[in-house]
Amino acid sequence: MSHALIDVLLDRHKDALGRDFAAYGNHVHRVFDGTLLHQRHLAPGYTPSDDEMAALAIAAVYHDAAIWLDGTFDYLDPSNAHAQAELKTRGLERWSDAVFDMVMGHHKLTSVPPRGDDPNWGEWFRRADYSDVSWGLVRFGVPAADLKAVRSAYPNLGFHKALVRIAGGWFPKHPFNPMPMMRW
């Protein structure tokens, strides 16, 4: 699956991502592919447009990117700002709400509600990120073999270790706000 735009955008930020470039890049690919798996599972008759696929690629690249681009573990708002700017640059503003839901909702503990009749990319993306962060233990009904195939194509390469390292630097400085990205 995947999308060529992902690598273009990741390469643009290679210096900022530093030693976590490959680990984050593979996470981005796993979330992108996982979102499509969840979309197919929940809306099997729906075929995304080329613009939707580009918007999904942008959301995937930027959903956690402010950790590195802005040096913050409170990253949802700045990550969304990066994604929205990229949508505008590419003339994809039509997908602003969907990308907002994907970036801002991917750490929700509850479902991301759909917006009218629009496809619920926010919920599909949330499920994909949880599936990836849980190493496939949380699958939301997607077959384990499908998620395993995505993990095989894009190995972890230390992504979870990087998150622990980054979180470890945040917690002592913000003991009353240890997980600022979590939402209800």
Side-chain angles (χ1 to χ4, degrees):
M1 290 182 264
S2 209
H3 196 283
L5 181 57
I6 291 172
D7 290 326
V8 169
L9 296 176
L10 286 170
D11 284 344
R12 182 189 303 163
H13 301 296
K14 190 172 189 171
D15 289 343
L17 293 167
R19 67 181 179 176
D20 299 323
F21 174 76
Y24 182 64
N26 278 7
H27 171 65
V28 167
H29 283 286
R30 289 190 306 269
V31 170
F32 180 91
D33 287 1
T35 300
L36 293 175
L37 288 174
H38 284 85
Q39 175 262 308
R40 289 178 188 144
H41 179 72
L42 295 167
Y46 186 79
T47 302
S49 70
D50 290 344
D51 284 353
E52 282 174 288
M53 295 293 279
L56 172 57
I58 290 167
V61 168
Y62 289 107
H63 77 283
D64 294 334
I67 293 171
W68 294 272
L69 302 182
D70 298 284
T72 182
F73 204 55
D74 191 0
Y75 56 86
L76 292 182
D77 286 323
S79 290
N80 181 57
H82 289 292
Q84 296 298 328
E86 190 63 38
L87 288 173
K88 186 173 183 179
T89 296
R90 295 182 177 276
L92 295 170
E93 295 96 330
R94 151 74 177 99
W95 301 104
S96 292
D97 288 344
V99 169
F100 177 91
D101 289 347
M102 286 186 265
V103 174
M104 298 302 289
H106 80 276
H107 285 303
K108 278 180 58 69
L109 298 173
T110 57
S111 297
V112 176
R115 289 179 184 256
D117 293 332
D118 285 344
N120 198 357
W121 288 105
E123 180 58 15
W124 302 334
F125 193 90
R126 182 186 79 89
R127 290 178 182 211
D129 190 70
Y130 273 109
S131 292
D132 188 58
V133 170
S134 74
W135 296 75
L137 295 174
V138 178
R139 295 182 288 120
F140 299 101
V142 170
D146 292 350
L147 291 172
K148 185 177 180 182
V150 171
R151 286 194 314 276
S152 293
Y154 300 104
N156 189 278
L157 302 179
F159 177 69
H160 290 79
K161 288 180 183 177
L163 291 181
V164 170
R165 183 188 77 242
I166 293 162
W170 174 269
F171 294 159
K173 298 173 188 167
H174 306 278
F176 299 110
N177 192 19
M179 301 290 280
M181 77 297 288
M182 299 307 292
R183 301 287 189 265
W184 288 103

